[in-house]
Amino acid sequence: MENTEKKKRILSAIQPSGTFTLGNYLGALKNWIALQDEYECVYAVADLHAITVRQDPTKFKKNILEAYALLLACGIDLEKSLLFIQSHIHTHSELAWILNCYTQFGELSRMTQFKDKSLKHADNINVGLFAYPSLMAADILLYQADLVPVGEDQRQHLEITRDIAARFNGIYGEVFKIPEAYIPKIGARVMSLQDPTKKMSKSDENINSWVAVLDKPDVIIKKFKRAVTDSEAVVRYAEGKDGINNLMSIYSAVTGKTNEEIEREFDGKGYGDFKAAVGETVVDMLTPIQNRFNEYMADKQYLEECYKKCDEQALYISQKTLKKAMKKIGFVI
Ligand code: TRP
């Protein structure tokens, strides 16, 4: 991957959490794919972040490979972008340690995700969970990223990354580029199909509330059929119609149609027809991704070739930054 055209560099990563939801796809991954022409994209499977909560070894291993294959299947093109596995690149752990020493206990204590996760995993409030943002800062700063597309939940972590980088640069001179948040032009906020006031989440106990990218077509259709709506029976975008609004924004994200176009298309039709149409377009969108995913998973050798090639380049880029930082600190290198 060359940077000769001086495209801006985008960096993002996703944890291998077992399944990606339709919300992950429409809200983030679809954007990752779209950004590849305009930017130099560096993407990673953030497996080191995932062990801040306890993982079953067999499942964890499977999840990492599946996440990698699924990202490829979604359309990450290795001719244009890098897609590597975080734990394969030792510079991440190394810079994370260094950054820990330039990060204050007080500022990490203020992270809302740390507070939330401490409540959720009260029996395992480990130091990694606390230091999670400095690992994320290392991910970003090692590649001198210009832009980081992050959702609302990661905004604070990007802010602290900028603070840590500026602090380090303030002491040693320009070592790290200060990254900006990338606010996507498109990107739907997909809500739960059962409680459309809440974000779609795979940790929701009600499996009908979320669609997985790898759900079978009949399951997807069924989940949309069961989606909560309202009693007005008119397909229109309006306040108080959270369920229909959510279905409309999903339909719009998939088809590119505007709300007015959707309202016209379903004028005089009931919710049954609309839900069936949303389910079908989602199935049509996901089927080719699922097929490619199955092909990749059946060819582990190909997957290995892909990540090895990317790992090598990621190591090369990141080592330059790590060495620079270490030299400035005074390490003998
Ligand atoms: N913490 C992010 C999440 O859980 C994943 C992540 C790890 C990340 N490193 C990153 C995102 C670097 C952006 C940039 O969603």
Side-chain angles (χ1 to χ4, degrees):
M1 198 173 68
E2 289 182 31
N3 200 10
T4 43
E5 297 161 44
K6 280 286 165 239
K7 285 180 178 172
K8 284 198 170 169
R9 186 175 281 164
I10 288 245
L11 184 135
S12 202
I14 191 162
Q15 291 195 41
S17 56
T19 17
F20 294 149
T21 66
L22 181 66
N24 296 134
Y25 181 74
L26 293 177
L29 299 179
K30 202 168 164 227
N31 233 327
W32 284 23
I33 309 309
L35 292 167
Q36 295 183 106
D37 288 321
E38 208 178 320
Y39 297 95
E40 193 196 88
C41 297
V42 178
Y43 296 131
V45 174
D47 54 351
L48 291 172
H49 278 101
I51 65 163
T52 52
V53 300
R54 200 66 76 231
Q55 299 284 343
D56 170 81
T58 312
K59 273 194 216 143
F60 185 42
K61 194 170 186 173
K62 184 165 167 271
N63 289 349
I64 296 167
L65 262 193
E66 286 190 356
Y68 194 91
L70 191 53
L71 290 170
L72 282 185
C74 285
I76 290 181
D77 179 352
L78 300 187
E79 297 291 321
K80 297 179 192 154
S81 311
L82 280 186
L83 175 62
F84 66 85
I85 298 178
Q86 184 192 30
S87 65
H88 291 186
I89 321 296
H90 60 79
T91 49
H92 290 243
S93 301
E94 291 169 24
L95 185 65
W97 169 255
I98 291 174
L99 297 181
N100 275 334
C101 304
Y102 296 82
T103 307
Q104 297 303 304
F105 184 87
E107 59 189 343
L108 286 179
S109 310
R110 286 193 290 276
M111 295 292 114
T112 52
Q113 190 179 83
F114 172 68
K115 291 190 228 168
D116 292 347
K117 286 200 179 169
S118 307
L119 288 176
K120 225 166 121 188
H121 305 277
D123 56 337
N124 185 21
I125 308 175
N126 59 76
V127 176
L129 195 62
F130 187 66
Y132 180 114
S134 40
L135 176 60
M136 187 160 150
D139 297 342
I140 298 167
L141 300 177
L142 278 169
Y143 299 87
Q144 307 287 353
D146 297 285
L147 296 163
V148 182
V150 282
E152 206 44 62
D153 59 327
Q154 298 298 318
R155 215 39 82 69
Q156 206 183 18
H157 291 161
L158 182 61
E159 241 356 273
I160 198 174
T161 297
R162 290 165 52 86
D163 291 345
I164 297 168
R167 183 174 306 142
F168 195 96
N169 287 352
I171 305 170
Y172 301 107
E174 293 305 299
V175 176
F176 301 122
K177 179 165 277 172
I178 312 286
E180 308 271 341
Y182 175 84
I183 315 288
K185 288 173 213 124
I186 50 161
R189 187 171 151 82
V190 179
M191 311 305 278
S192 155
L193 298 181
Q194 292 297 315
D195 177 359
T197 59
K198 283 196 318 207
K199 201 174 146 189
M200 180 179 281
S201 161
K202 69 164 191 93
S203 50
D204 197 319
E205 283 157 25
N206 185 348
I207 54 159
N208 286 320
S209 73
W210 56 278
V211 171
V213 172
L214 294 175
D215 270 347
K216 297 226 158 40
D218 57 321
V219 174
I220 296 174
I221 301 280
K222 221 188 289 163
K223 285 180 179 174
F224 277 105
K225 256 188 204 155
R226 292 191 182 147
V228 166
T229 50
D230 54 66
S231 55
E232 192 194 37
V234 179
V235 178
R236 65 183 185 101
Y237 200 94
E239 208 176 314
K241 288 171 71 77
D242 297 323
I244 287 296
N245 294 350
N246 186 36
L247 293 176
M248 282 179 76
S249 71
I250 292 171
Y251 194 67
S252 164
V254 179
T255 62
K257 291 178 185 166
T258 63
N259 284 342
E260 295 80 66
E261 285 168 330
I262 299 169
E263 284 168 7
R264 238 176 289 132
E265 184 178 344
F266 293 94
D267 188 19
K269 294 193 183 137
Y271 288 165
D273 288 341
F274 180 50
K275 289 189 204 178
V278 181
E280 272 156 34
T281 51
V282 170
V283 167
D284 289 346
M285 173 184 73
L286 295 180
T287 301
I289 294 176
Q290 297 183 353
N291 292 342
R292 282 197 295 272
F293 171 79
N294 291 331
E295 280 167 30
Y296 292 138
M297 285 310 288
D299 191 351
K300 297 275 159 45
Q301 205 181 332
Y302 175 72
L303 278 182
E304 191 176 323
E305 274 168 35
C306 291
Y307 62 72
K308 281 204 165 147
K309 188 177 106 185
C310 292
D311 289 350
E312 216 175 280
Q313 292 186 60
L315 184 62
Y316 177 79
I317 300 170
S318 62
Q319 233 158 7
K320 280 202 208 163
T321 307
L322 178 67
K323 281 201 176 138
K324 195 168 169 190
M326 291 181 75
K327 219 164 144 185
K328 292 279 192 186
I329 295 169
F331 283 108
V332 177
I333 56 164

